[in-house]
Amino acid sequence: MMTLKVNGQDNHIDADPDTPLLYVLRDDLKLNAAKFGCGLGQCGSCTVIVDGKAVLSCVTPLVLLEGKQVTTLEGLGTVSAPAPIQRAFMEEQAAQCGYCIAGMMMRAQALLLRNPKPTDAQIRAELQPNLCRCGTHMRILRAVHRAARLMDTADASANERSGQ
């Protein structure tokens, strides 16, 4: 039995330590945003954030996650209060089939956490491991820039409210 912290909540998981995180997220915790695509860490549809870094959950065993914070797309926002990255992807209509989009959003979120004003080249480099066959790449690029602006505006508003 291990404790896995996902989206701010402790979860007691009874699984083999070599079990890929993706299986626990989907099967045990019923968090279905991260998708099973290739199972080899080559498509990015299973991307989540672990301690601020984008991680391929299909090839990350549970044993590596003890004491770490896992964030899935479900942990960023809700339908009624979407996170800036979710809102930006909706506003830019960046999804078509929707299969890759959760992984794209999580990788973009990780980028924006460490680089709040990325260039096109930085966004492209960060999203390169995630495959999308629908061809919405330009919309995705616009969505990441929009999310950066939304996050900057939210940070500025929070600083004003706290008197900083």
Side-chain angles (χ1 to χ4, degrees):
M1 181 80 68
M2 78 172 282
T3 301
L4 183 64
K5 190 174 201 89
V6 179
N7 300 330
Q9 294 185 334
D10 287 337
N11 298 277
H12 301 292
I13 305 298
D14 187 17
D16 186 298
D18 291 329
T19 302
L21 172 60
L22 178 63
Y23 299 153
V24 171
L25 293 174
R26 292 183 63 80
D27 298 340
D28 298 329
L29 302 180
K30 305 303 181 205
L31 298 170
N32 295 315
K35 304 289 187 269
F36 181 90
C38 66
L40 302 170
Q42 296 177 351
C43 73
S45 62
C46 67
T47 304
V48 297
I49 297 174
V50 177
D51 287 348
K53 295 179 182 157
V55 170
L56 300 168
S57 65
C58 74
V59 293
T60 302
L62 291 178
V63 70
L64 298 179
L65 301 169
E66 188 77 45
K68 298 187 183 217
Q69 170 60 49
V70 177
T71 305
T72 67
L73 187 64
E74 294 93 342
L76 295 182
T78 64
V79 172
S80 60
I85 192 78
Q86 294 165 315
R87 185 173 146 204
F89 270 69
M90 288 185 288
E91 289 171 354
E92 291 295 336
Q93 298 179 3
Q96 277 192 9
C97 81
Y99 208 81
C100 73
I101 229 55
M104 290 278 195
M105 282 193 270
M106 295 309 290
R107 189 166 293 280
Q109 178 74 12
L111 169 65
L112 294 173
L113 289 174
R114 71 176 187 281
N115 180 358
K117 295 184 183 189
T119 64
D120 282 357
Q122 290 168 323
I123 295 168
R124 286 185 172 131
E126 182 71 18
L127 296 181
Q128 186 274 330
N130 289 59
L131 301 178
C132 172
R133 296 182 64 153
C134 295
T136 63
H137 296 89
M138 297 311 293
R139 290 180 187 179
I140 290 169
L141 192 64
R142 285 193 309 266
V144 176
H145 282 296
R146 181 183 288 249
R149 290 188 305 273
L150 290 170
M151 290 169 79
D152 188 46
T153 301
D155 289 344
S157 296
N159 287 340
E160 285 177 19
R161 285 191 301 276
S162 68
Q164 294 181 354

